Amino acid sequence: GAVVSQHPSWVICKSGTSVKIECRSLDFQATTMFWYRQFPKQSLMLMATSNEGSKATYEQGVEKDKFLINHASLTLSTLTVTSAHPEDSSFYICSAPTGTGAVAEAFFGQGTRLTVV
Amino acid sequence: AQKVTQAQTEISVVEKEDVTLDCVYETRDTTYYLFWYKQPPSGELVFLIRRNSFDEQNEISGRYSWNFQKSTSSFNFTITASQVVDSAVYFCALISNFGNEKLTFGTGTRLTIIP
């Protein structure tokens, strides 16, 4: 089946620094990718939709200047957490649908556990 | 607007028992897809099943089975003869508004299988 690879799987950074997380579709092209955030013992909350060749679409309440998204190619989307603070510590996970519309099957990356100290 | 409700926050059963995870959804669209995902302690989300709104046939895959009832807007998931490896958080999710791939997730059910 389709594979989505996310890197790194975990990262610890100092407060005030920036962290980049990569999401790659390994055997299919994804014009759209999604970024989610999951707090401990909670559900996944959609942060933004990454669109290849255009600006990302952010969900209400998500700071676009803090969570920079770049969809540089049909197989790669990156999420950069800028000037990270402890409250940004969370589990970030990306997904990529293998097609278009609701028929698409969404495959998820392994997730990135970010800890800001 | 769409919504997915998983009323069971946590469930614990003894190994080999059967267990059913409930999922109730809300959507105004007539075309939609329902999903179940498994999230083991490692964190990745594992796709289990997708069901479209026009197919109410129940599905069985090994020890897993799904009961889709449009009349009650439910898409319940049953694990038969549970095993310790089934311990995980299970999420039910919905895509509607055809052409928009955004998944709406339920809050998840943490399933613990006791050896």
Side-chain angles (χ1 to χ4, degrees):
Chain A
V3 177
V4 175
S5 177
Q6 193 172 333
H7 177 80
S9 56
W10 62 269
V11 58
I12 301 173
C13 71
K14 289 186 177 181
S15 187
T17 61
S18 295
V19 174
K20 180 185 285 188
I21 303 170
E22 293 186 347
C23 181
R24 293 180 185 273
S25 56
L26 296 185
D27 53 2
F28 66 100
Q29 294 181 332
T31 56
T32 302
M33 292 186 181
F34 298 95
W35 287 95
Y36 295 84
R37 182 174 183 175
Q38 185 181 28
F39 289 107
K41 297 193 176 182
Q42 294 190 23
S43 188
L44 286 80
M45 299 302 297
L46 180 65
M47 298 174 65
T49 303
S50 173
N51 304 298
E52 191 270 335
S54 64
K55 291 183 179 179
T57 305
Y58 290 82
E59 296 299 303
Q60 192 172 7
V62 177
E63 299 175 61
K64 58 182 69 176
D65 294 331
K66 179 161 192 62
F67 299 100
L68 299 179
I69 291 174
N70 184 1
H71 200 136
S73 73
L74 287 170
T75 59
L76 174 64
S77 174
T78 60
L79 168 67
T80 300
V81 183
T82 63
S83 187
H85 288 97
E87 58 265 30
D88 299 324
S89 298
S90 189
F91 188 67
Y92 295 87
I93 191 164
C94 68
S95 77
T98 57
T100 58
V103 297
E105 210 164 87
F107 287 88
F108 286 79
Q110 305 93 321
T112 298
R113 193 164 303 282
L114 170 64
T115 303
V116 185
V117 298
Chain B
Q2 53 195 46
K3 184 179 178 182
V4 176
T5 301
Q6 295 179 255
Q8 304 150 307
T9 306
E10 297 190 27
I11 300 176
S12 294
V13 299
V14 177
E15 195 173 19
K16 298 184 182 177
E17 287 185 353
D18 299 346
V19 59
T20 295
L21 309 182
D22 298 332
C23 173
V24 174
Y25 62 93
E26 295 176 31
T27 178
R28 286 183 286 186
D29 290 323
T30 56
T31 301
Y32 53 89
Y33 283 75
L34 295 161
F35 298 75
W36 274 95
Y37 288 91
K38 174 182 180 180
Q39 187 177 41
S42 54
E44 79 275 18
L45 276 170
V46 179
F47 167 83
L48 296 179
I49 190 172
R50 179 189 70 215
R51 171 67 68 209
N52 75 58
S53 54
F54 300 108
D55 182 1
E56 284 195 76
Q57 275 192 333
N58 292 329
E59 180 155 340
I60 298 175
S61 177
R63 296 184 296 108
Y64 296 169
S65 63
W66 290 269
N67 185 332
F68 178 29
Q69 301 258 351
K70 285 180 75 171
S71 60
T72 56
S73 298
S74 65
F75 186 44
N76 297 337
F77 172 33
T78 297
I79 301 175
T80 304
S82 61
Q83 300 176 3
V84 173
V85 293
D86 296 328
S87 295
V89 180
Y90 290 85
F91 290 98
C92 181
L94 166 73
I95 289 178
S96 66
N97 189 16
F98 193 81
N100 180 343
E101 300 95 339
K102 293 184 183 180
L103 278 163
T104 297
F105 282 89
T107 49
T109 297
R110 182 174 300 275
L111 176 64
T112 302
I113 309 300
I114 303 166

